[in-house]
Amino acid sequence: MARLFRWLLRLTSGLILLCILAIVSIYFFASQSLPDYDKDIALPGVSAPLEIVRDNANVPHIFGSFGASDEDVFYGLGYVHAQDRLWQMTVMRRAAQGRLSEIFGQRTIETDSLLRRLDLYRLSQQSWSVQTPEAKAALRAYADGINARLTEINEDSLGRGAPEMFLFNAPIAPWQPADSIAIMKLMALKLSSHLHEEVLRARTSLALNDDHRLHDILPDAPGTGVTALPEYVNLFDQTHQFAQFSSGKSTVWPVAPRGLGGASNAWAATSSRSAAGGTLLANDPHLDLTAPSIWYLARLDLATGGVIGATIPGVPAVISGRSDTMGWGVTASYADAQDLFIEKLNPNNPEEYQTPSGYKEFISRPTIVQIKDAAPLTLTLRWTENGPVLPASMFNLSTITPPGHVVTLGWTALSPRDTSMSAALELMRSNSTKDAIDIAEDFIAPTLNLTLADTKNIALKTIGAIPQRSVRHQSQGRLPSPGWRTENRWQGRAPYAANPVFRNPRGGILGNTNNKLLDRPFPNHVSYSWGDTQRINRWRRLMQSREVHTRDSFIEAQQDTVSFSARALLPLIGADLWFTGEAAAEGTPARQRRIALDLLAQWNGEMNEHLPEPLLYAAWVRALQDRLIKDDLGPVAPEFTHVDPVFIERVYRDIDGASIWCDIRQSAPRETCADISRLALDDAIVWIEERYGPNLQSLRWGDAHQASHKHETLGSVPILRYFMNISQSTSGGDNTLQRGLTLGTGNAPFTNVHSAGYRGVYDFADPDSSVFVISTGQSGHFLSRYYDDQSQLWRRGEYIPMSLDENLARAGALGITRITPR
């Protein structure tokens, strides 16, 4: 026995030693790619000495020496992007190219298949020729900076540049200028949602017995639109079966599920509404929460002056930021820039499709997708005059496609003459709202709302190409339409002057929360599907509650967690339930229901992470919508993953007979809306008790509403996910200004997965008092202290200084990199 014990002890000690050695080895190799921010280095490609000052938040301030050009500064931006986010840039470029399967194997075939069919990378290469000379020079210099970092990694054996490179065999080809254009197009794909909307509307119309009910479950945004505030005081003969919803299962899927596309907030105030006498601007773009964040903070010292703000690694432009004289911010416009076309095949020749002038042959070419550890896949890419043919297996297209037809996508981003990059680069050099609006005419995709403030003026302009549709369009772009009908085809780009624009409103304040901007008849409507109908009401109240605003009041609005939706819906859905419960024993369903109702009756709608009421409300309305739609929509119901407050309000106000949704068709009794409210509340309480226990008063919304910053490629890998992912308790919700859009599905439906990865507030009375923050940290290296150092600031609603003061940056510098020409 003693001998056995000694051998077991030796074996255990050996295993522990091996584990320690493995951990030390992993740390050693992974740490080799940690950037050194304080060094002198000679690199090829730069024309004059360059200095990169890292301030105490690791924001790089890039300065060219005397004789340096703007191209050298863009070189520096490329260098720092590659220093901190090389893996992220590699994955994004491969995604745009449709080459992920070369390193990830079969799990990314669906992603590669879609991107090859859209042909984004080839279109980006073609768009290179139409960029301005200045943009071409900037793109070349930026690519040179990235490639200089690759040279340094190879020469100095810097751990392959990123720890992920040890796990995946991902050779990095030299960066090309067109790669940055491709990443811009990839971002446009992430921000596009109308493809989903058209398919869902078609499937829902097939599921409903009563066509009039379509306007309930997919309601149009109410009202005439809000931007500027007032002064202070059936298309086919064949019918199709609908199928269970399925989403892309591919890793790095580039199309957001419905409801998880782009969003954002932006608002501005003129000097007359500013306490300090200068214009104000706030912006917080909303995208998927990832680790690291999609955003990267940087300052560029250009010949026209310094610019500072949020960049996207791979793109040499400040997307949201400011100079000394002007600030700019972006929100998703939700402009309808996508249409699905049903193309009729020639029954005698499936290689031809019908056009207004007869049958025409598809433009076809093969492409080979290389797959790690598997045989290559050969795809045949086909295009019509309307756009690329999409596989019936994606986006549930098979459920709405008649036999003998295929579906194509019309999308403004599929342009071989996309000058968006030139416009984005030139925007940084403009110093007035008028110049910026003029420059933005060259912006094609994605369609955005550009909010601007210079030292005297504010403005909001929808930028990006919007297709010109015929007034005789059969579906007005709301449903997939016959592609062979002339009236359904696009007639080029709508005039830029017709894009909505608002300048210096009389009330002194304008803004956008993805709400409906205006109410114009088709085809000048801009969109029928807007991103949000609720946040704008809370924003309007906050803006109108003060005669003048400050930087801090704009920050307060960005951090506001009061749900207008909760305040509007609870009196409706609980109208027959408040204070009507009888005495009930502790722990019984009736007692739990009364406790929940008592809590909600005294709640002000604040979605605070420390309160129980937000979880009770969110679970109740989620269960309520599920009960309302499940019997009517059947297998389509799971596609409605997020609560639509307008739908529930229509039902409980019985607008146009919408209360019929409360009756369960399959049951003999006629249920009332009060019955469904009570049953849904019981459903919610049971769901909560199963996960969080029976003590409703001790619930915390933050336990369910965890912000999940997930590493895009390693976030689901056991053990590694604990190092790569960043999770934290957060306030806010689906319809609050501090927006934390929930996942909507699975066992943790209230996980915060889509939020403001960047926040910035710019005050032009004192520009250097402006502030900004991102949701993770600057570094993409999980061993770096800057991987998540800003995440707690972001969670607490705090910011870091956004100053162009060179002395301030140098005073707290954590390192200075001096690059000289080799």
Side-chain angles (χ1 to χ4, degrees), residues 1 72 142 144 332 364 418 466 513-514 531 536 627 734 795:
M1 180 62 71
D72 291 324
Y142 178 78
D144 288 343
S364 302
D418 187 347
I466 300 176
T513 63
N514 312 123
I536 192 66
R627 279 192 173 266
D734 289 356
R795 174 191 172 275

Side-chain angles (χ1 to χ4, degrees), residues 664-696:
I664 301 174
R665 293 188 303 168
Q666 290 88 344
S667 67
R670 185 177 180 87
E671 291 83 5
T672 66
C673 288
D675 294 333
I676 300 301
S677 285
R678 185 182 67 255
L679 292 169
L681 180 56
D682 290 343
D683 291 342
I685 292 172
V686 169
W687 184 89
I688 288 172
E689 288 179 338
E690 289 175 347
R691 287 158 178 80
Y692 303 102
N695 191 346
L696 301 185

Side-chain angles (χ1 to χ4, degrees), residues 91-132:
V91 171
M92 291 178 70
R93 178 171 66 167
R94 281 186 172 270
Q97 293 171 334
R99 296 180 55 217
L100 290 168
S101 298
E102 294 176 12
I103 58 175
F104 297 121
Q106 298 190 18
R107 57 182 173 147
T108 54
I109 290 176
E110 195 172 8
T111 299
D112 285 347
S113 175
L114 175 63
L115 271 298
R116 295 286 182 100
R117 295 178 192 279
L118 295 179
D119 219 5
L120 289 191
Y121 193 71
R122 191 169 68 93
L123 292 169
S124 300
Q125 291 174 314
Q126 293 173 348
S127 294
W128 163 254
S129 64
V130 298
Q131 305 305 313
T132 63

